[in-house]
Amino acid sequence: MAARPPPARPHIGFNPSGRFSSYSTSDWVDDDAWDSGSDSESPTKSQWKQPPNAKQGSSTSPKPVPKSGPSNSSSSTLASSYTHLHAPSPSSYPPRAEQAQATVKNGWTIVRKSTDQLGGTELDETTHTGEGVADVEADGSDLILGDMDPDVAVQPAAPSFKPRQDQGSIRDDVDEIVNDPLHLIRQRPPKRYQSLPSSSTDVSGTLARERSIKSNRRQKFVECITQEDVNMAQLRKLAWNGVPPDLRPVAWPLLLGYMPLPAPLRASTLARKRQEYQSLVDLAFARNREGLDQQIWHQIEIDVPRTRPGVKLWMHAATQRSLERILYVWAIRHPASGYVQGINDLATPFFQVFLSAYIDSDPEEFDPTLLPSHVLNAIEADSFWCLSRLLDGIQDNYIASQPGIQRSVKRMTELVARIDPPLAAHLDAENVEFMQFAFRWMNCLLMREISVQNTIRMWDTYLFHLYVCSAFLVRWSKKLREMDFQGIIMFLQSLPTQGWTDHEIEMLLSEAFVHYSTWHNAQSHFGK
């Protein structure tokens, strides 16, 4: 996983409107919120630069008419809180000179990290991360050991910032996947895990059990999704523990209601919706830039280059042009709210999930110009419609005065007072208002507090944003109760979640579900 930049400016939250959840509530909109941010400066004032290794091209606002097609230009900024800083891509950082050199054990020396199979030799303790099992399964990177001269010192590579070698790997069957999403399930075999060294008997046994559980769960997903008429209740139940990554491009459209449950209707529906989106784009940009709503377009021009700073995928001009079209078409279709800062980030999980269906490499490292144009257009259209579905239930978070956010933050204040009275009393004593930090949490569905990978896992299961935010705050209760006003605000704006994995997200969701079960049907306890 690429290094995650510091938390940045505020963003958005969402209401699943019953699509991600088997629980439905009549007043769900109270539980969701969104942030308009404060980044209103002109693009000419934003001095963001290309990384040293970027190709020469446009790195500012888009061309007058954002058209589909390949482009090699790129741009990036690194946003921190409300200040926009300059920083190269994390993968461009050189290895640290003071890193310890490779340790020799019985004539064996760690040379480098690669994607080949693990050797059958004991690993040097100096290179163990403490997350060995997870690392092997997550990224497939292995250690190559060689019989080296003990007198020769070898400088180890910096695996955290080393670009993937297969960043341009495209599947051979992309045309089939565009026309029939189920082709993805029928043709892609389950992930094959690499063998462990023979000396790791206990670890190997634990991994074998975990893999067996994952394999069984994946098989249940496949059986559910490939039914002639998908059982939505069953799919939501399976999604509670997370959707296998290779099945998300099929499961998410079904959960959101974008793709119909009856299998015979899916291909024709996708083709129709994609063509409808293309017609909307053609109509919106028919008169070039002069025909655009200048106020909306101006803000989109500012926000798009700031999306996912430091991530290669979002530095490519082709990705930025797609995002511009998605945001502008959505805005003109929703005149009551228009475009609000932060919606750009909510589109990124969808784009990356749908992109992953067509490639065999990390979406965040991928160059979208390598894709055929019709495939990139399909990814863009699917992202647009799923984003629209996500935002359908929270329209009052975007209109004037943002009443949805006001209600959600008020209810969160009352809920935390019931869940953790000492914390609520301490925040009140320090004059910390929930609006000072919870506004951003409601806005971006915690996307500025956790990584996109964590966000994607959370969206598999998302049920109750109000309760997730409350559980998220209470998680830091002990530390917060030892801080003063300034310490609390600074801590909540830069939470230590960089190392979070699916385990932490699942624990957070479980805690939120407990609060939901306890308090959701006890509304008389809220309010004064």
Side-chain angles (χ1 to χ4, degrees):
M1 180 185 299
R4 180 173 177 265
R9 54 187 169 73
H11 266 56
I12 184 169
F14 94 98
N15 179 325
S17 303
R19 294 186 176 90
F20 273 111
S21 169
S22 56
Y23 303 91
S24 60
T25 62
S26 59
D27 57 348
W28 195 278
V29 69
D30 294 345
D31 298 349
D32 305 292
W34 156 245
D35 167 27
S36 63
S38 62
D39 298 327
S40 59
E41 64 267 30
S42 169
T44 59
K45 299 180 182 179
S46 179
Q47 301 295 325
W48 47 277
K49 303 177 181 180
Q50 286 182 314
N53 59 345
K55 297 180 181 179
Q56 183 67 27
S58 173
S59 60
T60 57
S61 56
K63 299 297 181 182
V65 184
K67 298 180 179 178
S68 303
S71 176
N72 295 325
S73 58
S74 61
S75 61
S76 173
T77 59
L78 180 61
S80 176
S81 185
Y82 291 91
T83 304
H84 302 286
L85 310 174
H86 313 309
S89 167
S91 61
S92 66
Y93 297 151
R96 294 180 60 182
E98 66 271 21
Q99 282 182 317
Q101 294 181 334
T103 303
V104 177
K105 274 194 174 184
N106 301 323
W108 291 86
T109 305
I110 295 179
V111 179
R112 59 186 175 85
K113 293 289 290 291
S114 77
T115 55
D116 297 328
Q117 191 174 14
L118 272 173
T121 324
E122 181 181 358
L123 303 183
D124 193 330
E125 294 178 359
T126 61
T127 62
H128 198 278
T129 64
E131 301 173 349
V133 174
D135 288 345
V136 170
E137 185 168 330
D139 58 15
S141 57
D142 307 316
L143 295 172
I144 302 299
L145 304 181
D147 192 2
M148 305 294 289
D149 187 340
D151 296 329
V152 178
V154 181
Q155 176 97 3
S160 298
F161 303 120
K162 183 177 180 180
R164 293 177 58 110
Q165 297 300 319
D166 58 344
Q167 57 185 313
S169 177
I170 304 176
R171 289 174 58 102
D172 295 330
D173 53 354
V174 292
D175 291 332
E176 290 80 1
I177 297 173
V178 168
N179 298 325
D180 179 14
L182 289 182
H183 179 85
L184 184 67
I185 299 175
R186 291 191 292 264
Q187 298 299 321
R188 173 175 286 178
K191 179 180 178 181
R192 291 188 174 276
Y193 297 96
Q194 298 167 343
S195 60
L196 290 173
S198 57
S199 60
S200 306
T201 305
D202 294 339
V203 176
S204 179
T206 302
L207 263 184
R209 289 191 294 272
E210 292 178 355
R211 292 168 182 171
S212 177
I213 293 173
K214 290 182 178 180
S215 178
N216 291 337
R217 288 191 60 252
R218 187 184 188 281
Q219 184 58 35
K220 290 180 180 179
F221 264 103
V222 171
E223 291 173 357
C224 177
I225 292 174
T226 54
Q227 293 175 358
E228 281 298 300
D229 193 354
V230 173
N231 184 325
M232 180 60 77
Q234 181 186 10
L235 181 58
R236 287 171 178 162
K237 183 178 179 180
L238 289 172
W240 169 259
N241 290 320
V243 180
D246 62 316
L247 301 184
R248 283 192 181 110
V250 179
W252 276 23
L254 290 170
L255 289 166
L256 281 165
Y258 167 50
M259 197 159 64
L261 301 181
L265 301 178
R266 292 175 195 163
S268 59
T269 299
L270 285 179
R272 175 173 54 82
K273 297 296 287 184
R274 289 166 179 170
Q275 181 55 48
E276 182 181 346
Y277 171 72
Q278 188 59 50
S279 298
L280 291 171
V281 170
D282 294 341
L283 180 63
F285 296 99
R287 293 190 295 158
N288 300 327
R289 179 167 181 159
E290 291 71 22
L292 303 179
D293 184 306
Q294 295 303 311
Q295 183 177 1
I296 293 175
W297 184 250
H298 172 73
Q299 192 60 57
I300 291 174
E301 280 187 313
I302 294 173
D303 288 352
V304 166
R306 299 173 179 172
T307 304
R308 300 296 319 281
V311 178
K312 289 184 178 179
L313 172 65
W314 299 98
M315 293 163 62
H316 288 288
T319 319
Q320 294 184 1
R321 299 299 85 78
S322 289
L323 184 57
E324 287 166 356
R325 291 189 288 268
I326 290 171
L327 298 177
Y328 185 78
V329 171
W330 188 89
I332 61 176
R333 282 172 56 87
H334 299 82
S337 60
Y339 171 73
V340 181
Q341 287 178 298
I343 300 179
N344 53 318
D345 290 275
L346 284 187
T348 61
F350 292 117
F351 196 94
Q352 290 184 199
V353 164
F354 291 127
L355 173 61
S356 69
Y358 302 97
I359 63 177
D360 285 317
S361 54
D362 183 0
E364 293 191 346
E365 298 287 338
F366 189 77
D367 180 356
T369 60
L370 300 176
L371 288 171
S373 59
H374 70 286
V375 174
L376 186 56
N377 291 340
I379 295 171
E380 181 181 325
D382 294 344
S383 300
F384 168 81
W385 290 115
C386 286
L387 176 67
S388 298
R389 291 278 183 169
L390 184 151
L391 299 177
D392 279 348
I394 52 174
Q395 283 294 296
D396 63 346
N397 289 345
Y398 304 91
I399 60 178
S401 77
Q402 299 173 294
I405 293 181
Q406 304 292 335
R407 289 194 300 268
S408 296
V409 173
K410 181 176 183 295
R411 292 191 65 191
M412 181 180 171
T413 304
E414 298 167 350
L415 181 60
V416 172
R418 300 295 189 273
I419 296 173
D420 193 337
L423 174 60
H426 180 70
L427 295 177
D428 184 63
E430 293 294 333
N431 296 316
V432 176
E433 297 183 4
F434 276 63
M435 190 65 72
Q436 293 172 312
F437 60 89
F439 190 89
R440 180 168 99 176
W441 295 6
M442 297 292 180
N443 267 347
C444 64
L445 211 158
L446 297 176
M447 281 192 68
R448 287 295 175 181
E449 277 56 53
I450 59 178
S451 69
V452 169
Q453 287 77 12
N454 291 159
T455 300
I456 289 173
R457 168 61 189 93
M458 185 178 288
W459 285 13
D460 288 340
T461 309
Y462 224 91
L463 301 173
F464 23 69
H465 189 49
L466 167 66
Y467 297 91
V468 170
C469 287
S470 299
F472 190 65
L473 175 64
V474 172
R475 184 184 185 95
W476 315 103
S477 177
K478 183 177 179 180
K479 291 184 178 181
L480 292 171
R481 282 185 276 125
E482 298 173 352
M483 300 177 181
D484 59 9
F485 174 86
Q486 183 176 1
I488 291 171
I489 297 299
M490 293 181 64
F491 180 78
L492 291 176
Q493 289 186 348
S494 184
L495 289 164
T497 59
Q498 292 84 354
W500 275 28
T501 63
D502 285 356
H503 173 73
E504 285 77 16
I505 295 300
E506 288 163 3
M507 290 297 296
L508 177 64
L509 291 169
S510 297
E511 293 164 2
F513 181 73
V514 171
H515 299 322
Y516 174 86
S517 302
T518 304
W519 298 104
H520 183 69
N521 293 320
Q523 298 301 314
S524 60
H525 289 271
F526 294 96
K528 297 180 180 180

